[in-house]
Amino acid sequence: MRRDLAAGLAAAALLLATLAGARPAAAAETDYCALGSATSLLLVDRSTRYDEVDRDILVRTVDSFFRRQEPGERLVVAAAGRAYTELKLVFDACRPGCPEVGLLGRLTSTCRPVLARADFQAFEAEFLARLVALLKQPEEAAASDLFRSVAEATRLVEANHYAPVRQFLMFSDLLEASSLLPGQAIRRMPAAEVLQRLAEAHVGARLPRAEVRVIGFGRSDAPGRPPLPQDIRRRVQATWEAWFRAGGAGSVQIGLR
């Protein structure tokens, strides 16, 4: 995951094409989702044009996020656009793999490790290709409705009867936050006032006991991307942390990386 992005895209595409033709037919019949009990959700904010610092942060952090998954865990990747109605699901699949079982379990299980490894290689290659494609695409919007986009992404997990979100990773500067907070209002409004507006509009995340982590936060969207002034950084961070906790998050970590 930490390879050069251009080389990573080419390698992922080649590996995916190779595996697609080489996988045993039986491998595609395994229902890995039936083995899992959790969902990992990655949301990428498309409202800021990425530079090399952003790309490095995202790729390195997603590597750890990806490796923490267990067999059968669903991985959902969404891209936030200008409005929450433009939220795009770019990846949605369950991680192939066989759970750890004893000797008797291995004898009676329908999950075959050799087939699962082939499926996992294809799963990993496709995930990498989708991620690199997101990073290489041009900027899609000058602003985004982030609060509603997060709420919509978590609502979709629930509406599709997926397993609960265990870990939620969000890549964003958290500044283009909502049509309820026009312009740069989130930078100057007290957290309590922002939360009241969101509550009155019924904008809330569904993240019971989830581990929430936001990366890419702390840099201004001004030319050159300088650090945010300390008072603004603290205010915006406190607002988002309170909102995530109101949605049931078990832990919240917000920072640049």
Side-chain angles (χ1 to χ4, degrees), residues 102-183:
L103 176 60
L104 180 60
R106 289 196 295 272
L107 292 175
T108 59
S109 175
T110 59
C111 186
R112 297 293 178 257
V114 172
L115 301 182
R117 279 195 293 271
D119 279 346
F120 175 75
Q121 287 179 309
F123 171 88
E124 182 180 41
E126 183 174 358
F127 170 72
L128 177 61
R130 299 291 179 88
L131 177 64
V132 174
L134 272 180
L135 291 174
K136 294 177 74 68
Q137 288 173 357
E139 181 182 359
E140 295 183 355
S144 58
D145 197 345
L146 289 179
F147 283 114
R148 280 196 173 100
S149 292
V150 174
E152 177 66 7
T154 61
R155 186 197 68 80
L156 288 173
V157 169
E158 189 176 275
N160 287 325
H161 304 291
Y162 292 164
V165 175
R166 180 178 67 85
Q167 57 172 348
F168 172 52
L169 177 63
M170 181 176 178
F171 177 62
S172 175
D173 61 14
L174 300 182
L175 298 178
E176 293 80 20
S178 175
S179 56
L180 296 170
L181 311 168

Side-chain angles (χ1 to χ4, degrees), residues 184-257:
Q184 299 185 355
I186 193 172
R187 306 181 193 217
R188 62 178 183 271
M189 289 175 60
E193 186 177 347
V194 175
L195 294 175
Q196 181 178 349
R197 287 195 187 187
L198 293 170
E200 290 172 352
H202 305 290
V203 179
R206 296 166 169 85
L207 292 164
R209 296 178 297 282
E211 300 173 15
V212 174
R213 184 177 181 187
V214 179
I215 57 173
F217 172 72
R219 304 172 74 201
S220 170
D221 51 7
R225 307 288 305 282
L228 284 171
Q230 190 173 46
D231 61 328
I232 294 177
R233 179 178 57 79
R234 288 178 176 174
R235 189 177 301 115
V236 174
Q237 182 173 342
T239 298
W240 276 96
E241 181 173 347
W243 185 73
F244 281 128
R245 291 196 181 279
S251 64
V252 181
Q253 179 182 347
I254 299 175
L256 184 62
R257 61 190 64 189

Side-chain angles (χ1 to χ4, degrees), residues 28-114:
E29 299 172 1
T30 304
D31 182 9
Y32 296 109
C33 296
L35 304 175
S37 59
T39 295
S40 287
L41 176 60
L42 168 62
L43 180 65
V44 179
D45 175 14
R46 300 290 297 130
S47 66
T48 301
R49 187 177 294 278
Y50 311 136
D51 60 15
E52 289 304 316
V53 173
D54 294 315
R55 293 187 180 97
D56 180 70
I57 290 170
L58 179 60
V59 171
R60 290 177 181 273
T61 308
V62 167
D63 179 60
S64 174
F65 170 83
F66 183 81
R67 303 301 167 192
R68 290 186 61 209
Q69 286 189 295
E70 300 175 352
E73 187 164 332
R74 183 179 293 276
L75 174 57
V76 177
V77 181
R82 177 179 52 197
Y84 80 94
T85 53
E86 297 177 1
L87 184 77
K88 297 178 182 177
L89 296 183
V90 298
F91 188 85
D92 182 358
C94 294
R95 184 186 185 98
C98 298
E100 292 291 333
V101 293
L103 176 60
L104 180 60
R106 289 196 295 272
L107 292 175
T108 59
S109 175
T110 59
C111 186
R112 297 293 178 257
V114 172

